[in-house]
Amino acid sequence: EADRRTDDQIEQAALKTWRESKPAFLLIHYIAPDSMAHGFGAVSAQYRQTAQDVDARLGRLLKEVDLSATTLLFTADHGHINSGGHAGTEPEGLNVPFVAAGKGIKPGQYSPAPQADIAPTVATLLGSCSGLVAAFWRLLGAARFLGRCAGAF
């Protein structure tokens, strides 16, 4: 219940920030899903309820956002194992949801991609995918993603 109240405060602060200043970048990180997955597991009723809560929060945010002028990215920082807690190198830990919609995003369904692809996507959308950023991603072995760095969404 404490995590839900904290997420209520996070949601209200995010909506207030969006309404008042329309920032170029707004990161919203709800804590209840992570807590529920750690404590009860990724297939638990508690986690499922929390995921539904986040879905409702996202719906309220989308009522405020003009997707013709804004890009929305929705993801998680890591996955969880079914019994609770972080995974190691299991797919459950390495695969996370990633939904992108709005300005600069070509609609459609895409094949799964590594979590490492998220950062260059954000860099491109923020207009900071310079030669230096591209070189950095080459060093990390994310060369397949450089097409997106060049603006090929």
Side-chain angles (χ1 to χ4, degrees):
E1 189 59 32
D3 288 341
R4 180 181 254 181
R5 284 192 306 272
T6 300
D7 281 357
D8 288 343
Q9 293 170 346
I10 291 168
E11 178 183 16
Q12 291 309 308
L15 288 170
K16 182 177 190 267
T17 299
W18 180 257
R19 289 175 186 139
E20 292 177 0
S21 61
K22 303 278 191 291
F25 183 81
L26 176 63
L27 174 67
I28 306 168
H29 184 84
Y30 296 115
I31 63 168
D34 190 58
S35 294
M36 292 299 111
H38 274 288
F40 299 99
V43 294
S44 67
Q46 294 89 338
Y47 179 75
R48 190 170 27 262
Q49 179 59 55
T50 302
Q52 290 171 342
D53 290 347
V54 169
D55 184 67
R57 293 178 195 286
L58 185 58
R60 288 188 289 272
L61 176 65
L62 283 170
K63 288 180 182 177
E64 305 280 334
V65 172
D66 174 7
L67 288 177
S68 69
T70 305
T71 305
L72 176 75
L73 304 175
F74 180 82
T75 191
D77 59 344
H78 60 81
H80 287 276
I81 56 175
N82 290 345
S83 60
H86 286 247
T89 58
E90 299 90 351
E92 296 90 347
L94 299 176
N95 295 321
V96 296
F98 182 72
V99 178
K103 184 178 178 181
I105 304 297
K106 181 180 174 185
Q109 290 186 324
Y110 296 88
S111 62
Q115 194 172 17
D117 285 356
I118 295 170
T121 299
V122 172
T124 300
L125 291 168
L126 291 173
S128 61
C129 205
S130 66
L132 181 60
V133 172
F136 175 72
W137 288 110
R138 256 189 220 94
L139 284 172
L140 291 179
R144 75 177 188 88
F145 204 73
L146 292 176
R148 291 190 185 150
C149 233
F153 276 98

